[in-house]
Amino acid sequence: MRNQPALAVAGSAFLFACGGAVAPAAGTGTGGALPPSGTAFSLIEDGDMVMECDGVVHRFDLHGTGQLLVGDRVAGDTPTTVVTTESEQLTGYDAELGTVTVSERGPAAGEFVAPGVGRAFPAAESFAQDVAVAMDHSPCDNGQPAVYASKSAFALLNTDLTSFPPKNAVYLLAEPVELVDVTNPSAASFTLTSFPVTVTQAP
């Protein structure tokens, strides 16, 4: 299995640059302490994926599950913890694409950035993604079944997280992501332009 540590290595600068988050006053937020290193928990996810290929936009809902693992603290002035997306499996449907499945290709490391020492919330979190998107009919491949994959891990961001594990927290795509045909990388690619995902800890 592949591990993608790049998002964690980037440190808090990545999250705060993308989201413009500023450390709030003490006492705000509702979440309590971050779970200890080694804690794993399951998620329920509801997403809205927007993809474009050859100038045609496809938008569809996705529903499914995932799993996060709380990792080690990262040395530095800002309290930062590695949070790894261990797995993810979402399913949706588009009239032209048919059934679409989105799955995590391997563990991808994001990060949880607290506003200050002794204050966990409101926090910023990068929900790391390294996905394969399979569809019944690809307009980029003459309507044939196809699988597209991200070239590397990317982040969905929430810069105002008030609890962790998340509860109805919305994560947003920071910038467009190119998805390449797995069997023919030189073929036309999809561009993931929007991917808001609502995430809640599974009961």
Side-chain angles (χ1 to χ4, degrees):
M1 295 212 305
R2 300 177 308 110
N3 194 10
Q4 297 285 352
L7 295 178
V9 172
S12 61
F14 176 75
L15 285 175
F16 284 89
C18 288
V22 176
T28 59
T30 60
L34 185 70
S37 176
T39 302
F41 49 89
S42 298
L43 307 173
I44 296 172
E45 300 179 35
D46 296 297
D48 181 14
M49 181 169 274
V50 181
M51 302 170 63
E52 182 271 330
C53 177
D54 287 340
V56 179
V57 175
H58 301 271
R59 180 174 184 169
F60 47 91
D61 294 334
L62 290 163
H63 308 281
T65 60
Q67 185 175 53
L68 290 180
L69 175 66
V70 178
D72 296 331
R73 272 51 176 177
V74 178
D77 295 335
T78 304
T80 302
T81 303
V82 176
V83 178
T84 300
T85 306
E86 293 283 293
S87 64
E88 192 170 46
Q89 189 71 33
L90 309 175
T91 303
Y93 180 81
D94 177 82
E96 293 186 56
L97 307 181
T99 298
V100 180
T101 60
V102 176
S103 56
E104 192 75 14
R105 297 197 296 161
E111 59 184 21
F112 176 99
V113 182
V117 177
R119 291 183 291 138
F121 301 97
E125 188 207 353
S126 60
F127 182 22
Q129 304 283 295
D130 187 10
V131 298
V133 181
M135 60 191 69
D136 291 337
H137 311 288
S138 170
C140 288
D141 194 14
N142 298 315
Q144 298 300 308
V147 179
Y148 295 84
S150 48
K151 291 182 176 181
S152 60
F154 62 94
L156 301 179
L157 303 177
N158 183 310
T159 58
D160 190 27
L161 199 65
T162 57
S163 64
F164 196 88
K167 182 178 181 181
N168 294 322
V170 179
Y171 294 78
L172 302 175
L173 186 66
E175 58 187 6
V177 173
E178 184 180 6
L179 302 173
V180 179
D181 191 323
V182 170
T183 59
N184 184 11
S186 63
S189 59
F190 267 94
T191 300
L192 179 60
T193 59
S194 179
F195 190 24
V197 179
T198 301
V199 179
T200 296
Q201 182 181 17

